[in-house]
Amino acid sequence: MVASISRTMAQSVSAEHLRLAQSFCQLVEKAREGIELKTLGVYQSGSDPIMDQAMAAQEQLIGYLRQPIDERLTFSDSLNQLQVLLAGVNAGGYQ
């Protein structure tokens, strides 16, 4: 889904925005990897706290990418939503 950050993104956005985007991509990848490992029966909860947080927040992470057709957000509002989402994940707010 979200494999990488565009090489040109670093030239197009602020350092903070780039950091948030990289964090988001890493969490999505951790969630994907964790779910795959759990499905195979080889992942034990608690062995990787970041993976556990990412899997717990998977619905919110995917939800951030899905904007309803009638929803209008400014760039600033979208970036703010990303900050709030990542703060919740980092605080363990999605259990």
Side-chain angles (χ1 to χ4, degrees):
M1 179 205 309
V2 181
S4 66
I5 301 291
S6 163
R7 285 183 233 146
T8 61
M9 186 175 185
Q11 301 164 354
S12 307
V13 299
S14 69
E16 175 65 5
H17 184 170
L18 183 61
R19 185 189 67 74
L20 291 169
Q22 289 170 331
S23 293
F24 179 85
C25 289
Q26 289 168 352
L27 284 169
V28 169
E29 181 57 25
K30 275 282 194 182
R32 186 206 59 76
E33 181 184 339
I35 289 166
E36 184 177 320
L37 292 173
K38 204 168 192 176
T39 300
L40 294 172
V42 296
Y43 180 73
Q44 186 161 352
S45 293
S47 61
D48 183 339
I50 294 172
M51 188 174 284
D52 291 339
Q53 289 172 334
M55 286 190 295
Q58 181 194 17
E59 204 172 299
Q60 287 78 12
L61 293 167
I62 301 306
Y64 177 78
L65 296 174
R66 293 187 179 141
Q67 180 178 356
I69 198 160
D70 60 341
E71 182 181 20
R72 303 284 183 253
L73 288 176
T74 65
F75 178 79
S76 179
D77 288 341
S78 179
L79 192 56
N80 186 52
Q81 281 186 355
L82 181 57
Q83 289 171 321
V84 169
L85 171 64
L86 294 176
V89 172
N90 292 332
Y94 303 104
Q95 298 299 326

